Amino acid sequence: MGRVSCMANILLIKNRKREYTDHFLAVSPPLGVLYLAAYARDKRPGKDVFTIVDERVYAKTSREWEAYLKDLRPDVIGFSSMSIEQDQVDYLLPVFKRALPQAKIVIGGPLASSSGAGLLDEANIDFVVKGEGEIPFTGLLEALDGNEDYPLDRIAGLAFRDDSGSIIDNPPSKNRADLDALPYPAYDLINLQDYVGRDRMTPVRTSQLYAPLFTSRGCPYHCIYCHDIFSGKFRAMSAMRVVDEIEHMINAYGVHEFEVYDDIFNLDKQRVKDISAEIKKRGLETCFTFPNGVRGDILDRETLEALKDMGTVHMAFAIETASPRIQKVLRKNINLKKIRENISIAADLKIFTWGFLMMGLPQESRRELWKTIWFAASSKLHGAYFFPVVPFEGTELAQKYEEAIESDGEKRLWDYFSPEGALGAVGPRELAIMHSLAFFLFFFNPWRVYLIYTSGVAPFRRLVSLALGLVRYIAVDKVFYTLKTKARKVFKFRITPRTA
Ligand code: SF4
């Protein structure tokens, strides 16, 4: 295995999804690669030079990439990719290898965690980093430097081909990073201003500088559709460490708004209250959004008030289905009565609430689908996303889908806009109609307009921005995307017989 030079030149790329128009791209600062760079710099001071390219902000053509790579000449190129972004990874790999055959290509992020060593079937990938990336990626850099304390086959979470071409798939690490000891993400490597005013995970745009926060990892629940990157054990930064990072971001970058990405920020209620109290004690001016969702049925009024006190303006509730039977199938087991109550309390506290709901779940009947739509429409949610089910590789749900769908031998590239309807009682065409109807029934009613108008800050701006967003989604993006997908299928159909 070749070595990299003494001072390694490392390029980290946050991928985009190839097929979507720019309208579909929710773009937030790439926290995963920011943590990787910060951790490696902390453990290997002075040994590496990092460059970060966020493709969702700076998209390049293959020709531009080739020119860029030949100029930068990185020794190591790391892709951070979601499963849904695999189309772009597949597209870029040959371009990168052609431009820089000597550079080591590493894949990390959710795609690597769910697909694992299987990604090495693609000859242009040198290493796969599964699970949490900080420790194995830094170990890999040491190994590439020739440090004998880091033999490749001992780096937990790493998969690669040895000199004979055999795949070595190291088991995941049992040692997880100590979250309190993590350095702050390397925000000096990006320009936070690039992320202002774009579509982001938080559905209501602000024009302020903001930064992500990721204060805990792991979740003790075991929903069948969820990833297992961080294991089933909840680990959290202490309240002090969280507020230290917030204060650092205020002082170093002038950031006061924070987008929290935790899977389950509110599991430890006392920690939430301590964070809120500490922010107040230090007199920090802060604003928070929780676009990744909270566990809505374990909240209570006291915790919601603490969240409001620290400046929470938006919170998503991951409901998924209003059918208790399907809740059991998913092993989510949300208490629907409780979550409805908490949505109501949050809305009364002027927290802009948003619901996540899924359509096309295993065994789901037409009646249960309508029940879910009605649950959302009759709640105090200000907004909602109805997602066609996207089963990600490596989850129990994906396994169910693979068993149910007759495989045509082609790699499946799932997306959020084409309902498959493979496991429910409702077929894809009807599901697609119900999916559009769900949005229509939810948003186009006076109750919703009233709720949004009375939701607190800048209600009129929120209404206009939501209305414009919906018009764009239905009239432009959904239609355009569907036509584009259909056109590609027709085009493929015409070409294939001639080249076969
Ligand atoms: S509660 Fe949320 S984070 Fe936890 S396993 Fe279920 S979906 Fe995943």
Side-chain angles (χ1 to χ4, degrees):
M1 195 62 65
R3 289 185 182 189
V4 299
S5 50
C6 295
M7 171 79 87
N9 188 1
I10 298 165
L11 170 64
L12 297 177
I13 298 166
K14 173 68 204 95
N15 288 122
R16 57 181 276 154
K17 175 157 177 62
R18 182 159 187 71
E19 285 300 330
Y20 290 168
T21 66
D22 282 347
H23 294 314
F24 285 129
L25 298 172
V27 179
S28 304
L31 200 53
V33 289
L34 293 172
Y35 265 124
L36 276 192
Y39 190 84
R41 287 200 306 205
D42 191 51
K43 298 293 170 205
R44 301 163 37 88
K47 283 194 177 173
D48 311 301
V49 176
F50 282 93
T51 307
I52 289 180
V53 173
D54 188 339
E55 273 202 296
R56 302 162 308 167
V57 176
Y58 295 103
K60 295 184 199 302
T61 62
S62 54
R63 214 172 267 182
E64 285 166 344
W65 265 122
E66 277 194 52
Y68 179 82
L69 292 170
K70 282 180 178 157
D71 184 43
L72 186 70
R73 308 206 67 75
D75 303 297
V76 177
I77 300 170
F79 286 162
S80 170
S81 318
M82 310 266 282
S83 301
I84 204 162
E85 292 157 351
Q86 188 169 358
D87 53 355
Q88 177 70 349
V89 175
D90 291 345
Y91 171 77
L92 286 182
L93 283 170
V95 177
F96 278 41
K97 267 293 171 190
R98 197 168 55 234
L100 282 181
Q102 301 307 322
K104 301 294 175 206
I105 294 190
V106 189
I107 303 276
L111 170 63
S113 300
S114 57
S115 301
L119 287 171
L120 292 165
D121 291 343
E122 162 58 72
N124 293 319
I125 296 175
D126 297 298
F127 299 100
V128 177
V129 172
K130 301 167 292 174
E132 288 180 42
E134 291 94 351
I135 296 176
F137 183 70
T138 305
L140 172 62
L141 294 181
E142 287 294 337
L144 292 174
D145 263 355
N147 184 340
E148 288 175 1
D149 291 340
Y150 290 84
L152 288 172
D153 57 2
R154 296 273 179 80
I155 298 176
L158 190 72
F160 62 100
R161 282 183 189 278
D162 66 11
D163 291 338
S164 70
S166 307
I167 289 180
I168 310 293
D169 187 7
N170 298 338
S173 172
K174 290 206 174 79
N175 291 333
R176 303 275 173 168
D178 172 1
L179 299 190
D180 268 358
L182 280 182
Y184 301 142
Y187 284 110
D188 56 297
L189 295 174
I190 60 166
N191 182 359
L192 280 171
Q193 202 66 45
D194 285 340
Y195 298 86
V196 175
R198 289 175 170 274
D199 279 349
R200 50 190 268 207
M201 279 178 78
T202 297
V204 185
R205 279 198 210 184
T206 69
S207 50
Q208 281 189 47
L209 208 58
Y210 74 97
L213 268 188
F214 199 36
T215 75
S216 64
R217 296 181 184 182
C219 173
Y221 296 93
H222 297 282
C223 308
I224 64 168
Y225 57 87
C226 195
H227 67 84
D228 190 27
I229 298 176
F230 304 121
S231 88
K233 192 166 179 289
F234 177 74
R235 293 171 294 138
M237 290 176 183
S238 64
M240 286 298 163
R241 166 64 178 77
V242 175
V243 183
D244 284 349
E245 182 167 333
I246 291 167
E247 194 165 17
H248 164 75
M249 292 307 291
I250 292 174
N251 294 334
Y253 298 97
V255 170
H256 291 267
E257 184 176 328
F258 298 91
E259 202 170 73
V260 182
Y261 295 161
D262 296 33
D263 283 329
I264 189 154
F265 180 84
N266 62 317
L267 185 69
D268 179 348
K269 287 183 199 169
Q270 191 52 49
R271 191 182 76 114
V272 176
K273 290 174 201 162
D274 291 347
I275 291 172
S276 181
E278 187 62 23
I279 287 173
K280 202 170 180 183
K281 191 172 138 203
R282 296 193 199 181
L284 305 178
E285 236 179 80
T286 50
C287 166
F288 292 88
T289 63
F290 292 82
N292 200 28
V294 291
R295 178 85 195 188
D297 58 344
I298 59 170
L299 284 166
D300 53 29
R301 180 172 282 280
E302 212 187 326
T303 313
L304 279 162
E305 281 172 355
L307 284 160
K308 180 67 188 175
D309 280 350
M310 64 194 242
T312 299
V313 292
H314 160 69
M315 186 181 288
F317 289 81
I319 304 155
E320 323 304 3
T321 168
S323 157
R325 187 181 74 91
I326 303 290
Q327 284 284 349
K328 278 206 185 91
V329 173
L330 295 181
R331 284 210 298 272
K332 179 128 192 173
N333 294 315
I334 280 271
N335 180 331
L336 291 161
K337 188 166 169 274
K338 201 81 195 118
I339 202 168
R340 187 188 274 280
E341 266 170 38
N342 286 328
I343 289 168
S344 185
I345 297 172
D348 292 347
L349 289 169
K350 306 282 183 219
I351 294 174
F352 201 73
T353 57
W354 205 270
F356 293 157
L357 301 118
M358 292 161 98
M359 299 183 74
L361 287 159
Q363 304 169 25
E364 191 175 36
S365 68
R366 189 174 293 111
R367 196 160 177 275
E368 284 166 326
L369 273 165
W370 281 118
K371 205 170 168 185
T372 297
I373 297 170
W374 174 247
F375 181 94
S378 62
S379 73
K380 278 197 172 179
L381 288 169
H382 297 104
Y385 288 133
F386 297 88
F387 293 108
V389 173
V390 177
F392 286 114
E393 219 174 307
T395 61
E396 204 179 316
L397 183 64
Q399 217 177 319
K400 282 182 190 288
Y401 268 76
E402 286 311 318
E403 285 159 15
I405 296 171
E406 206 182 309
S407 174
D408 49 13
E410 267 190 36
K411 210 187 279 183
R412 301 189 76 82
L413 290 172
W414 300 95
D415 63 66
Y416 294 125
F417 300 96
S418 308
E420 280 279 339
L423 288 181
V426 175
R429 188 161 291 189
E430 187 180 350
L431 196 60
I433 294 169
M434 288 184 80
H435 181 236
S436 299
L437 270 178
F439 277 104
F440 186 83
L441 294 173
F442 182 86
F443 281 105
F444 291 89
N445 75 58
W447 167 238
R448 198 71 47 217
V449 175
Y450 169 77
L451 282 172
I452 296 170
Y453 194 73
T454 53
S455 66
V457 198
F460 187 68
R461 204 186 67 198
R462 280 183 180 175
L463 265 178
V464 172
S465 121
L466 272 172
L468 289 176
L470 273 174
V471 169
R472 196 187 64 190
Y473 171 68
I474 294 166
V476 183
D477 292 346
K478 202 166 182 192
V479 173
F480 175 73
Y481 181 71
T482 311
L483 288 177
K484 198 173 147 193
T485 311
K486 287 212 161 112
R488 194 163 10 90
K489 275 186 189 156
V490 173
F491 182 68
K492 249 190 183 172
F493 175 74
R494 283 197 188 134
I495 291 294
T496 311
R498 284 194 215 149
T499 53

